[in-house]
C-alpha cells in the first residue's frame, strides 16, 4: 500500500509516505511557522523515527493511519492522519497540518474530507474527534461539518460520526 494513492480530490491527493519521505515530515515538523499554533516543533532521534514509521505507516498497527497531502504538482503540502483507534468504540483522533506556505488554498479542508471518507467508509471507523487550539483549525473543522463537543479557554473538542459525514456527502452531491 506504500506509494499508492489512498484518495484523490480536486486539488490534492493523500498517500502513505515512503521511508525516504521522512525528510519532508522532519522539515514540516521542524518549521516554526507551521508548528507554532499546534504545540511547537517536534524533533525525533533516528531510532524514534524508525519506530514511528513502523507504527504509523508501514507495516502499521491498525490503530494509526498516516498520509502525506500532495498537490497535483506532486509536491507534499502537509499531512493528515488518524491515530489512537479504539476497536470497541470505533473511534480515533484526527490530525491535519498544512505547511505554512501552502495554507489558505483549500488543501486542508479537502484533505480532511479525503481522510474522513477513507476512515468512515473503508477503514470502518464510526466516530472521530479532534482537539484544536488555533483559529484556522477551528474554522476548517466547522467548514467540514464537525460538531463542537466542548469549548475550553484555549481549545475546542470536535466530533463527527460516520452517519453525519455520509449525510453531508449526499447533500453535497
Amino acid at each position: 500500500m506504500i506509494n499508492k494513492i489512498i484518495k484523490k480530490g480536486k486539488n490534492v491527493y493523500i498517500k502513505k509516505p515512503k521511508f525516504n519521505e521522512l525528510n519532508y515530515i522532519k522539515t514540516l515538523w521542524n518549521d516554526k511557522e507551521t508548528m507554532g499554533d499546534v504545540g511547537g516543533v517536534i524533533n525525533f532521534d533516528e531510532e524514534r523515527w524508525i519506530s514511528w514509521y513502523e507504527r504509523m505507516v508501514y507495516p502499521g498497527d491498525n490503530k494509526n493511519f498516516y498520509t502525506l497531502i500532495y498537490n497535483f504538482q506532486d509536491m507534499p503540502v502537509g499531512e493528515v492522519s488518524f491515530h489512537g483507534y479504539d476497536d470497541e468504540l470505533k473511534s480515533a483522533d484526527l490530525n491535519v497540518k498544512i505547511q505554512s506556505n501552502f495554507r489558505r488554498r483549500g488543501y486542508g479542508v479537502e484533505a480532511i474530507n479525503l481522510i474522513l471518507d477513507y476512515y468512515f467508509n473503508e477503514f470502518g471507523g464510526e466516530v472521530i474527534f479532534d482537539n484544536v487550539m488555533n483559529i484556522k483549525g477551528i474554522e476548517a473543522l466547522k467548514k467540514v461539518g464537525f460538531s463542537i463537543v466542548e469549548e475550553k479557554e484555549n481549545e475546542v473538542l470536535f466530533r463527527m460520526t460516520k452517519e453525519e459525514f455520509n449525510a453531508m456527502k449526499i447533500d453535497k452531491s
Side-chain angles (χ1 to χ4, degrees):
M1 180 120 93
I2 299 299
N3 214 26
K4 175 184 172 239
I5 293 175
I6 304 299
K7 291 281 179 187
K8 195 181 231 182
K10 293 178 182 167
N11 299 300
V12 297
Y13 61 92
I14 60 173
K15 72 174 186 167
K16 287 186 163 202
K18 292 182 279 185
F19 189 78
N20 67 357
E21 291 175 295
L22 285 179
N23 287 331
Y24 172 76
I25 301 165
K26 290 175 186 178
T27 301
L28 181 72
W29 291 4
N30 277 296
D31 181 42
K32 290 178 183 173
E33 204 172 322
T34 297
M35 299 298 290
D37 56 1
V38 293
V41 299
I42 298 171
N43 290 302
F44 286 169
D45 61 30
E46 203 58 38
E47 189 174 303
R48 191 154 176 214
W49 274 112
I50 292 168
S51 68
W52 176 88
Y53 187 83
E54 289 172 350
R55 179 175 39 90
M56 296 294 290
V57 182
Y58 185 79
D61 64 4
N62 295 320
K63 296 191 180 303
N64 301 288
F65 190 84
Y66 181 90
T67 65
L68 287 178
I69 305 164
Y70 293 83
N71 63 20
F72 285 126
Q73 290 73 49
D74 297 319
M75 292 179 60
V77 298
E79 66 180 18
V80 65
S81 63
F82 59 86
H83 55 93
Y85 182 73
D86 183 310
D87 286 322
E88 285 184 39
L89 300 174
K90 295 192 180 300
S91 69
D93 295 315
L94 177 68
N95 162 62
V96 63
K97 288 179 197 72
I98 301 299
Q99 190 174 329
S100 62
N101 57 319
F102 289 107
R103 290 182 178 160
R104 290 174 275 295
R105 299 180 191 187
Y107 293 163
V109 168
E110 186 170 19
I112 292 168
N113 277 301
L114 294 173
I115 197 80
L116 290 178
D117 191 35
Y118 175 82
Y119 174 72
F120 289 131
N121 298 312
E122 294 178 43
F123 184 81
E126 293 291 329
V127 65
I128 197 160
F129 296 93
D130 197 2
N131 210 9
V132 184
M133 301 180 294
N134 62 73
I135 300 298
K136 294 292 181 196
I138 291 168
E139 290 171 359
L141 290 187
K142 285 180 178 178
K143 189 173 185 176
V144 171
F146 276 76
S147 302
I148 295 175
V149 174
E150 182 179 16
E151 290 186 71
K152 296 182 180 175
E153 187 175 317
N154 295 330
E155 59 190 58
V156 178
L157 177 62
F158 286 93
R159 174 181 187 268
M160 181 176 285
T161 67
K162 178 180 182 176
E163 187 176 283
E164 292 166 337
F165 177 75
N166 285 327
M168 286 187 294
K169 270 181 54 176
I170 292 168
D171 289 345
K172 289 179 184 174
S173 50

